Structure formats: C-alpha cells, structure tokens
Amino acid sequence: MSRIAKRFADLQREGRKAFVSYVMAGDPDYDRSLAVLTGLPEAGVDVIELGLPFTDPMADGETIQLAGQRALASGQTLERTLEMVRDFRTRDEATPIVLMGYYNPIYSRGVARFLHEAKTAGIDGLIIVDLPPEEDEELCLPALEAGIDFIRLATPTTDDKRLPRVLENTSGFVYYVSITGITGAAAASAADVGPEVARIKASTDLPVVVGFGIRTPEVAREIAGVADGCVVGSAIVAEIGQGKPPEDVLAFVRSLAEGAHNA
C-alpha cells in the first residue's frame, strides 16, 4: 500500500478528514523552506504538496508566482528539490509527499531518470497541471508503473462527459479545484463544492480533496465537511512571503489543520 493510500485509510478509520498543505520548495531559501517542510507533520498536515518552482507557472496566482521567483532566485532547482525530499525522509518516513508543478523541468531532466530519482528520494505522487489526460503516455503511465501516484485535477468545468476521462488513470486522490481560475483568486464555498464532490465520488472510490480559495480555519472546516479533506496553499505561502519565521508559519498551519480535522 502506498503512503498516500495508507494515510487516507488511516484517516477514514479514525473518522477524520485530511488536511493537505502546499509549500514551494526553496521559498524563501533552502534552509528556511526545509524548516517549514519538516515541521508540517507535527503541525497536523496529513499530506504535503511540495511545489517545484518554474519560470512560467500559468495556473498560479501572484502569491505562488512570487514564491516561485523567490525560490529560483535562491538557487532552487529540480535537483535541490529532490535533495530537500531526501533530507525530509531522514526525519519522516510516513508522511506522503506529492510533487506539484509543471512538465517542462521533468521533460528536460528525462522522464525515466526523473521517476527513478523521485521514487528513490521518497516522492509518493505527482500533480502536473499542464499535462491533460490525452498526454498520459508522456508521464502519467510511466509514473504509475514506477509506483508513483498520478493525481488529477477536476474543476467546476469538468462535466459528466469529461469526468470519466479525467478519472481514468488517476490514483492517490482526486484534487477538486473549487473555483475557476488561478490559485488565490477567490474564496471557496461549501454550498457550491458539496454537490460537485458528491458527483465525483459517485464515479470513483478515490478520496476527493478540495483546494483553491481556502484561507482560514473556518473555511477549512466547512470545505473538509463536504469532502474527504481540503488543501491550503496560497494562504500558507503568503505567510512565508511576509518573511515570518518558520515557527510562526507552522503555528498558522496548525490552526488550519485543526479546522479541517474538526470538520
């Protein structure tokens, strides 16, 4: 059983919802980023999404774009991101890590080489936002063969005709994007999200977690209450962007996690 599957099975047995956090690797620099990363499990994070910085993050809003720029300026690369995961794994063998980003850096490294290095480093899943299901042979199918989950995004515009194609090779969990547009663009609404989550769950046995537009413990609790969990990214990245020390960032993360776990 993969780390992701085990974590969701454990949460289901405990009757708890998942709290998933996103941070950008290398933001604002390697050491502070690693300090936040290694503190996330103790702060209540069940699954970590680790952003891979890229020069053209088309799905991301200003907050995460700036985080990527800070990371790149500090010298963060794909190699250093894998190194960060290896560092994390010396401390934590249980918490799932999902690498989230864009295909270009992976393509440049070579898919076979990347997948071997990612698996060896301790990456459990991938979210690659610019590879649609029609391109599954590029990375999705090789990743699954390598034992790495490939997590797909479903959105408010994923209709009943499109949904089966989106779910076809998805594993780990389904990430439902609660709003149309880029990250950090609007607030999520449980009233809008609930029916969409139910529609997706009618077509898959995978957990469905909801991200985009969640900024407070109250909203985390509301959204987790209608899904299998919630994802917070931009709100956490904004705390880092304000120059707050890792302990303050992790205190904020803890408040969000408590909100989701109290759903």
Side-chain angles (χ1 to χ4, degrees):
M1 180 181 289
S2 71
R3 287 190 188 97
I4 294 174
K6 184 178 186 307
R7 180 54 51 93
F8 278 100
D10 289 346
L11 288 167
Q12 184 177 35
R13 186 175 60 254
E14 295 164 7
R16 294 195 304 134
K17 301 302 180 72
F19 179 66
V20 183
S21 70
Y22 170 98
V23 292
M24 178 68 72
D27 176 30
D29 56 51
Y30 188 95
D31 290 340
R32 283 181 284 181
S33 182
L34 182 61
V36 171
L37 184 67
T38 56
L40 291 175
E42 188 177 345
V45 173
D46 299 300
V47 180
I48 297 170
E49 287 182 9
L50 183 62
L52 176 62
F54 180 53
T55 53
D56 188 23
M58 62 185 182
D60 294 310
E62 182 180 11
T63 299
I64 293 180
Q65 286 185 22
L66 291 173
Q69 290 175 14
R70 291 190 297 269
L72 291 169
S74 75
Q76 193 71 11
T77 60
L78 175 54
E79 173 55 42
R80 295 204 80 198
T81 301
L82 294 173
E83 180 185 346
M84 184 171 287
V85 175
R86 290 192 292 268
D87 283 347
F88 177 89
R89 287 290 176 222
T90 66
R91 302 164 170 86
D92 186 308
E93 275 292 328
T95 305
I97 295 180
V98 176
L99 189 68
M100 185 171 186
Y102 299 82
Y103 185 44
N104 184 278
I106 296 170
Y107 176 81
S108 298
R109 197 165 189 86
V111 167
R113 177 186 177 188
F114 165 76
L115 290 173
H116 172 74
E117 292 175 339
K119 183 68 174 178
T120 302
I123 289 173
D124 304 290
L126 299 173
I127 299 175
I128 307 300
V129 299
D130 55 346
L131 277 182
E134 287 74 18
E135 305 295 334
D136 275 358
E137 291 185 1
E138 285 282 333
L139 181 62
C140 174
L141 296 181
L144 295 176
E145 187 174 340
I148 297 175
D149 285 320
F150 202 86
I151 294 143
R152 193 83 69 188
L153 303 179
T155 74
T157 60
T158 305
D159 60 19
D160 289 340
K161 181 178 180 181
R162 179 66 173 169
L163 185 60
R165 186 71 180 92
V166 169
L167 296 175
E168 185 175 352
N169 292 313
T170 298
S171 63
F173 60 90
V174 179
Y175 187 139
Y176 179 69
V177 177
S178 65
I179 58 174
T180 55
I182 56 177
T183 57
S189 163
D192 295 332
V193 166
E196 291 300 301
V197 170
R199 181 172 68 91
I200 296 168
K201 288 182 73 65
S203 298
T204 181
D205 292 330
L206 293 171
V208 179
V209 301
V210 177
F212 285 48
I214 303 170
R215 301 187 183 92
T216 67
E218 293 75 22
V219 176
R221 183 175 62 251
E222 292 170 7
I223 296 298
V226 297
D228 295 304
C230 69
V231 185
V232 179
S234 293
I236 297 169
V237 172
E239 297 282 302
I240 296 170
Q242 291 170 19
K244 294 185 178 180
E247 57 267 27
D248 290 354
V249 174
L250 292 169
F252 177 61
V253 171
R254 186 173 292 105
S255 72
L256 294 165
E258 289 172 354
H261 291 153
N262 287 328

